[in-house]
């Protein structure tokens, strides 16, 4: 099993809230394409998209380009940028910002998780370093962290914990696959009733 096959719900259970990007960063076309790969990190000041445009020529195939921006008024990328990224083998984008040309991107099948769509492009002036830690969706993402995205959300797995988390995820999924709904219901009720009793609930 790889991270491409691992649900974000499983990863969120193992990693906790602080590794889950906020719900504003979602798939911009659906059904939400699954996305997984090592982060190539980019910082773009509000209104500027230069470094994302630089990154598509520098990120390795299989990378997920992760951008800190926080800007909802100017697009970080459009159809041609996504087409070039796709042609170069980049797995997809996770953007704390917005894009444009969504119809082209959807037709090309390029995965983009972002805050939305706006038609106005950003400028290209601000030079910032690539592959430094960024804040995206409230989560600090470092180059080499594994970013996994699906219809339930986006999770950033710390690079130094990838082997550990993948082993734990495999074990969790195998256990769940071997459990019938009847067994799950019985375990669930017992656990909930125990919590209720400890809280003084008598209903």
């Amino acid at each position: 099993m790889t991270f491409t096959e691992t649900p974000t719900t499983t990863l969120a259970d193992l990693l906790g809230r602080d590794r889950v990007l906020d719900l504003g960063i979602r798939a911009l076309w659906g059904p939400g394409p699954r996305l997984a790969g090592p982060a190539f990190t980019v910082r773009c000041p509000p209104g500027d998209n230069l470094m994302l445009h630089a990154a598509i020529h520098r990120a390795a195939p299989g990378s997920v380009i992760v951008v800190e921006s926080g800007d909802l008024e100017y697009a970080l990328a459009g159809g041609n940028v996504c087409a070039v990224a796709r042609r170069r083998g980049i797995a997809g984008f996770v953007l704390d910002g917005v894009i444009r040309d969504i119809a082209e991107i959807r037709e090309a099948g390029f995965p983009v998780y972002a805050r939305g769509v706006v038609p106005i492009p950003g400028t290209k002036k601000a030079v910032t370093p690539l592959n430094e830690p960024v804040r995206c969706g409230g989560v600090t993402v470092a180059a080499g962290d594994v970013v996994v995205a699906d219809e339930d959300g986006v999770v950033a797995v710390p690079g130094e914990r990838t082997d550990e988390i993948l082993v734990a995820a495999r074990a969790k999924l195998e256990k769940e696959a071997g459990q019938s709904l009847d067994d799950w219901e019985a375990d669930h009720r017992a656990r909930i009733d125990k919590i209720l009793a400890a809280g003084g609930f008598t209903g």
Side-chain angles (χ1 to χ4, degrees):
M1 188 180 73
T2 66
F3 281 110
T4 304
E5 304 162 308
T6 307
T8 57
T9 49
T10 301
L11 296 173
D13 288 346
L14 295 170
L15 288 164
R17 176 66 188 89
D18 65 345
R19 301 306 301 170
V20 179
L21 278 61
D22 75 56
L23 59 80
I25 299 180
R26 310 294 292 180
L28 293 189
W29 55 271
R34 285 195 56 79
L35 175 61
F40 186 98
T41 57
V42 180
R43 183 177 293 108
C44 290
D48 197 284
N49 61 27
L50 175 64
M51 296 315 295
L52 171 55
H53 289 236
I56 66 168
H57 303 291
R58 290 162 176 80
S63 299
V64 176
I65 293 182
V66 178
V67 179
E68 172 184 327
S69 172
D71 178 22
L72 299 181
E73 297 185 17
Y74 296 91
L76 287 163
N80 285 341
V81 167
C82 292
V84 170
R86 183 175 182 271
R87 186 164 65 181
R88 293 202 64 253
I90 291 165
F93 290 168
V94 173
L95 313 176
D96 199 333
V98 293
I99 64 163
R100 66 181 195 163
D101 299 329
I102 188 61
E104 292 178 35
I105 295 164
R106 180 175 58 242
E107 185 176 346
F110 186 70
V112 176
Y113 286 73
R115 293 198 181 274
V117 179
V118 72
I120 292 286
T123 61
K124 296 170 181 61
K125 296 178 180 178
V127 176
T128 61
L130 294 170
N131 272 331
E132 291 194 343
V134 298
R135 290 285 288 179
C136 185
V139 175
T140 298
V141 181
D145 288 354
V146 174
V147 177
V148 182
D150 61 20
E151 290 182 290
D152 283 304
V154 186
V155 179
V157 182
E160 69 276 9
R161 297 187 63 192
T162 54
D163 291 343
E164 164 207 344
I165 294 300
L166 200 54
V167 168
R170 183 182 297 117
K172 189 175 191 303
L173 290 167
E174 287 175 354
K175 179 182 177 182
E176 291 171 353
Q179 185 180 46
S180 70
L181 182 58
D182 288 342
D183 291 339
W184 186 91
E185 181 181 7
D187 289 348
H188 180 260
R189 178 159 189 171
R191 181 165 60 91
I192 296 304
D193 287 349
K194 182 178 180 180
I195 295 169
L196 290 173
F201 183 78
T202 58

